[in-house]
Short mmCIF file of all heavy atoms in Angstrom, two decimals:
data_model
loop_
_atom_site.label_atom_id
_atom_site.label_comp_id
_atom_site.label_asym_id
_atom_site.label_seq_id
_atom_site.Cartn_x
_atom_site.Cartn_y
_atom_site.Cartn_z
N THR A 25 55.26 114.96 165.63
CA THR A 25 53.84 114.59 165.61
C THR A 25 53.46 113.95 164.29
O THR A 25 52.75 112.93 164.25
CB THR A 25 52.97 115.85 165.85
OG1 THR A 25 53.22 116.35 167.17
CG2 THR A 25 51.50 115.50 165.73
N GLU A 26 53.92 114.53 163.21
CA GLU A 26 53.62 113.99 161.88
C GLU A 26 54.35 112.68 161.63
O GLU A 26 53.78 111.72 161.12
CB GLU A 26 53.98 115.01 160.80
CG GLU A 26 53.12 116.26 160.83
CD GLU A 26 51.64 115.97 160.67
OE1 GLU A 26 51.28 115.10 159.85
OE2 GLU A 26 50.84 116.58 161.40
N LYS A 27 55.61 112.63 162.01
CA LYS A 27 56.43 111.43 161.74
C LYS A 27 55.89 110.20 162.46
O LYS A 27 55.84 109.10 161.89
CB LYS A 27 57.87 111.68 162.16
CG LYS A 27 58.79 110.48 161.91
CD LYS A 27 60.24 110.79 162.27
CE LYS A 27 61.13 109.59 162.00
NZ LYS A 27 62.55 109.86 162.33
N TYR A 28 55.45 110.38 163.71
CA TYR A 28 55.01 109.25 164.51
C TYR A 28 53.49 109.16 164.68
O TYR A 28 53.00 108.38 165.49
CB TYR A 28 55.69 109.30 165.88
CG TYR A 28 57.20 109.18 165.79
CD1 TYR A 28 58.01 110.31 165.92
CD2 TYR A 28 57.81 107.96 165.54
CE1 TYR A 28 59.40 110.22 165.82
CE2 TYR A 28 59.19 107.86 165.44
CZ TYR A 28 59.98 108.99 165.57
OH TYR A 28 61.35 108.90 165.47
N SER A 29 52.77 109.97 163.90
CA SER A 29 51.29 109.93 163.86
C SER A 29 50.68 110.04 165.27
O SER A 29 49.82 109.25 165.66
CB SER A 29 50.81 108.64 163.19
OG SER A 29 51.34 108.52 161.89
N ILE A 30 51.13 111.04 166.00
CA ILE A 30 50.66 111.23 167.37
C ILE A 30 49.37 112.03 167.37
O ILE A 30 49.26 113.04 166.69
CB ILE A 30 51.74 111.94 168.21
CG1 ILE A 30 53.06 111.16 168.16
CG2 ILE A 30 51.29 112.09 169.66
CD1 ILE A 30 54.23 111.88 168.78
N GLU A 31 48.40 111.58 168.16
CA GLU A 31 47.09 112.22 168.20
C GLU A 31 46.76 112.85 169.56
O GLU A 31 45.92 113.74 169.64
CB GLU A 31 45.99 111.20 167.87
CG GLU A 31 46.13 110.57 166.48
CD GLU A 31 45.81 111.53 165.35
OE1 GLU A 31 45.13 112.55 165.62
OE2 GLU A 31 46.25 111.29 164.22
N LYS A 32 47.40 112.36 170.64
CA LYS A 32 47.06 112.82 171.98
C LYS A 32 48.29 113.35 172.71
O LYS A 32 49.39 112.78 172.59
CB LYS A 32 46.44 111.67 172.79
CG LYS A 32 45.16 111.10 172.19
CD LYS A 32 44.64 109.93 173.01
CE LYS A 32 43.39 109.33 172.41
NZ LYS A 32 42.89 108.18 173.21
N PHE A 33 48.06 114.41 173.48
CA PHE A 33 49.16 115.07 174.20
C PHE A 33 48.68 115.46 175.60
O PHE A 33 47.48 115.61 175.82
CB PHE A 33 49.60 116.32 173.43
CG PHE A 33 49.96 116.06 172.00
CD1 PHE A 33 48.98 116.10 171.02
CD2 PHE A 33 51.26 115.77 171.64
CE1 PHE A 33 49.30 115.86 169.70
CE2 PHE A 33 51.58 115.52 170.32
CZ PHE A 33 50.60 115.56 169.35
N PRO A 34 49.62 115.66 176.54
CA PRO A 34 51.06 115.50 176.43
C PRO A 34 51.42 114.02 176.22
O PRO A 34 50.68 113.14 176.64
CB PRO A 34 51.59 115.99 177.78
CG PRO A 34 50.48 116.80 178.38
CD PRO A 34 49.23 116.15 177.87
N THR A 35 52.56 113.80 175.60
CA THR A 35 53.01 112.44 175.36
C THR A 35 54.51 112.34 175.57
O THR A 35 55.20 113.36 175.71
CB THR A 35 52.63 111.97 173.96
OG1 THR A 35 52.87 110.56 173.85
CG2 THR A 35 53.44 112.69 172.89
N ILE A 36 55.00 111.12 175.58
CA ILE A 36 56.42 110.86 175.78
C ILE A 36 56.94 110.02 174.62
O ILE A 36 56.32 109.04 174.22
CB ILE A 36 56.67 110.11 177.10
CG1 ILE A 36 56.18 110.95 178.29
CG2 ILE A 36 58.15 109.78 177.28
CD1 ILE A 36 56.27 110.21 179.63
N LEU A 37 58.10 110.40 174.09
CA LEU A 37 58.79 109.61 173.08
C LEU A 37 60.14 109.18 173.66
O LEU A 37 60.85 109.98 174.27
CB LEU A 37 59.03 110.41 171.80
CG LEU A 37 57.80 110.75 170.96
CD1 LEU A 37 57.16 112.04 171.46
CD2 LEU A 37 58.17 110.93 169.49
N ILE A 38 60.48 107.91 173.45
CA ILE A 38 61.75 107.38 173.94
C ILE A 38 62.58 106.93 172.74
O ILE A 38 62.11 106.17 171.89
CB ILE A 38 61.53 106.18 174.88
CG1 ILE A 38 60.63 106.58 176.05
CG2 ILE A 38 62.87 105.65 175.40
CD1 ILE A 38 60.29 105.42 176.98
N PHE A 39 63.82 107.40 172.69
CA PHE A 39 64.75 107.04 171.62
C PHE A 39 65.96 106.33 172.23
O PHE A 39 66.22 106.44 173.41
CB PHE A 39 65.21 108.28 170.86
CG PHE A 39 64.10 109.09 170.25
CD1 PHE A 39 63.56 110.18 170.92
CD2 PHE A 39 63.58 108.75 169.01
CE1 PHE A 39 62.53 110.93 170.37
CE2 PHE A 39 62.54 109.49 168.45
CZ PHE A 39 62.02 110.58 169.14
N GLY A 40 66.69 105.61 171.37
CA GLY A 40 67.89 104.93 171.85
C GLY A 40 67.72 103.43 171.83
O GLY A 40 67.17 102.87 170.87
N GLU A 41 68.14 102.77 172.90
CA GLU A 41 68.09 101.31 172.97
C GLU A 41 66.70 100.86 173.42
O GLU A 41 66.52 100.23 174.46
CB GLU A 41 69.18 100.80 173.92
CG GLU A 41 70.59 101.10 173.43
CD GLU A 41 71.67 100.60 174.38
OE1 GLU A 41 71.59 100.88 175.59
OE2 GLU A 41 72.60 99.91 173.90
N VAL A 42 65.73 101.19 172.60
CA VAL A 42 64.33 100.94 172.98
C VAL A 42 63.95 99.46 172.91
O VAL A 42 62.97 99.05 173.53
CB VAL A 42 63.37 101.76 172.09
CG1 VAL A 42 63.58 103.25 172.32
CG2 VAL A 42 63.57 101.42 170.61
N ASP A 43 64.74 98.65 172.19
CA ASP A 43 64.42 97.23 172.10
C ASP A 43 64.64 96.51 173.43
O ASP A 43 64.19 95.37 173.60
CB ASP A 43 65.25 96.56 171.00
CG ASP A 43 64.81 96.99 169.61
OD1 ASP A 43 63.63 97.35 169.45
OD2 ASP A 43 65.64 96.98 168.68
N LYS A 44 65.35 97.15 174.34
CA LYS A 44 65.55 96.58 175.66
C LYS A 44 64.37 96.83 176.59
O LYS A 44 64.32 96.29 177.70
CB LYS A 44 66.81 97.16 176.31
CG LYS A 44 68.13 96.72 175.68
CD LYS A 44 69.30 97.28 176.48
CE LYS A 44 70.63 96.80 175.94
NZ LYS A 44 71.77 97.32 176.74
N LEU A 45 63.44 97.67 176.15
CA LEU A 45 62.36 98.11 177.02
C LEU A 45 61.02 97.53 176.58
O LEU A 45 60.76 97.35 175.40
CB LEU A 45 62.27 99.64 177.02
CG LEU A 45 63.53 100.40 177.42
CD1 LEU A 45 63.31 101.90 177.28
CD2 LEU A 45 63.94 100.05 178.84
N ASN A 46 60.18 97.27 177.56
CA ASN A 46 58.80 96.84 177.32
C ASN A 46 57.93 97.55 178.36
O ASN A 46 57.82 97.09 179.49
CB ASN A 46 58.67 95.32 177.43
CG ASN A 46 57.27 94.84 177.13
OD1 ASN A 46 56.46 95.57 176.56
ND2 ASN A 46 56.96 93.62 177.53
N ILE A 47 57.34 98.68 177.97
CA ILE A 47 56.64 99.53 178.91
C ILE A 47 55.16 99.60 178.53
O ILE A 47 54.82 99.93 177.39
CB ILE A 47 57.24 100.95 178.93
CG1 ILE A 47 58.76 100.89 179.11
CG2 ILE A 47 56.62 101.79 180.03
CD1 ILE A 47 59.44 102.23 179.00
N ALA A 48 54.30 99.30 179.48
CA ALA A 48 52.86 99.34 179.24
C ALA A 48 52.44 100.75 178.81
O ALA A 48 52.88 101.74 179.38
CB ALA A 48 52.10 98.93 180.49
N GLY A 49 51.58 100.79 177.78
CA GLY A 49 51.08 102.07 177.29
C GLY A 49 51.89 102.64 176.15
O GLY A 49 51.45 103.58 175.49
#
């Protein structure tokens, strides 16, 4: 939460080959 400055929950974090993805929201 602190590292990625998250303010709203529940939320989803995606790690890995994220440059291949373009997801709305």
Side-chain angles (χ1 to χ4, degrees):
T25 296
E26 293 302 319
K27 180 177 181 180
Y28 297 103
S29 303
I30 304 172
E31 300 289 340
K32 300 177 181 180
F33 306 88
T35 191
I36 299 174
L37 291 86
I38 303 176
F39 302 95
E41 296 180 310
V42 296
D43 289 333
K44 290 184 177 182
L45 303 176
N46 183 16
I47 309 174

